[in-house]
Amino acid sequence: MWCYRGGSISAEPRINDRIRVPEVRLVGPSGEQVGIVPLAKALELAQEYDLDLVEVAANARPPVCKLMDYGKFKYESAMKAREARKNQAHTVIKEMKLRPKIDPHDYDTKKGHVVRFLKQGDKVKITIMFRGREQSRPELGYRLLQRLAEDVQDLGFVESNPKQDGRNMIMVLGPHKKKTEAMAEAREAQAARKAERQGGQAAAEAPEADADADAAATETAEA
């Protein structure tokens, strides 16, 4: 019975003298097909080009190897993965709870939160909570959800229509804007605010510098 012992299995490809096959299908530095050559010949070409011989398709017969700068390849791959993670966006479902007989001020406050969530590219689960005799008036909750959906229709749409869930009524709003777009716009706005602050600071420092120059000129004239 086979049993694995020891450290973890490496996911990195075999390179140079770690490749243990008699021949390989070789791909040149620019992606050109060299053809099937003995391993010794492939290693010789790698030395001539001052590159690495990297096994890129180990399961092929014979394995496919490419001439490349492996260190540079690993660095660029890591940077691409980092950028992809940075730009990766996970849609979050926020929740907002309302009462059927909510007063106008509270409604405006809750609606403001919903607007902010949708602008951020997040979905919003709206829950109307019924208590006591309110449970016999589901139309109150339905009308409130319709009103909210109409108030934010420029930013979102009804992804899941209102439905009764026990003592609650639930509706889900989806954003028109994708999460990645919202994140990009937020970064641009942040950069614009930073540039504006720096510009204002520079403008405020300019009169002080002029005043110092005038004072220095006066002192020189008096001397």
Side-chain angles (χ1 to χ4, degrees):
M1 181 178 179
W2 183 85
C3 178
Y4 173 73
R5 300 177 186 275
S8 60
I9 299 174
S10 174
E12 292 191 359
R14 294 185 294 183
I15 65 171
N16 300 327
D17 56 1
R18 291 174 55 194
I19 301 172
R20 304 289 185 179
V21 291
E23 59 183 15
V24 299
R25 185 178 297 277
L26 187 62
V27 179
S30 301
E32 68 276 16
Q33 297 291 331
V34 178
I36 298 176
V37 299
L39 176 62
K41 178 63 176 178
L43 291 170
E44 181 182 332
L45 289 172
Q47 289 182 343
E48 289 181 9
Y49 283 105
D50 194 22
L51 296 172
D52 298 299
L53 181 67
V54 182
E55 190 177 59
V56 295
N59 294 329
R61 291 293 178 268
V64 179
C65 294
K66 185 176 181 180
L67 298 174
M68 68 173 75
D69 184 335
Y70 187 58
K72 180 180 178 182
F73 170 77
K74 285 185 64 177
Y75 173 77
E76 291 177 349
S77 297
M79 293 300 293
K80 288 179 181 179
R82 180 180 177 183
E83 189 66 22
R85 287 193 300 270
K86 181 180 178 181
N87 294 329
Q88 189 176 15
H90 299 284
T91 301
V92 178
I93 299 181
K94 305 287 189 177
E95 184 172 14
M96 189 58 57
K97 296 181 179 180
L98 296 82
R99 295 293 305 279
K101 298 180 180 179
I102 188 171
D103 66 69
H105 175 73
D106 286 345
Y107 174 80
D108 289 338
T109 300
K110 299 278 189 178
K111 184 181 71 174
H113 291 311
V114 173
V115 166
R116 177 164 54 87
F117 295 148
L118 292 173
K119 283 183 176 180
Q120 293 172 350
D122 295 321
K123 296 182 181 181
V124 189
K125 176 184 176 183
I126 312 297
T127 302
I128 305 295
M129 301 179 297
F130 297 94
R131 292 181 182 177
R133 295 181 180 179
E134 293 175 346
Q135 297 179 55
S136 63
R137 301 290 305 279
E139 70 276 6
L140 295 177
Y142 185 78
R143 285 201 295 265
L144 182 59
L145 290 175
Q146 280 188 315
R147 174 188 173 190
L148 181 59
E150 290 174 0
D151 286 347
V152 299
Q153 60 183 341
D154 291 340
L155 299 171
F157 61 95
V158 177
E159 184 174 286
S160 177
N161 289 317
K163 63 180 180 180
Q164 199 76 29
D165 183 19
R167 296 183 177 183
N168 300 329
M169 183 174 287
I170 296 172
M171 176 180 74
V172 178
L173 296 173
H176 290 312
K177 189 179 300 181
K178 293 182 179 179
K179 184 74 172 178
T180 50
E181 295 174 356
M183 291 172 62
E185 289 184 2
R187 286 195 295 267
E188 290 176 2
Q190 184 179 7
R193 288 194 298 269
K194 183 177 180 181
E196 186 177 350
R197 286 196 302 268
Q198 291 175 343
Q201 183 178 358
E205 292 174 352
E208 295 181 5
D210 292 341
D212 291 341
D214 292 341
T218 302
E219 292 176 358
T220 301
E222 291 176 351

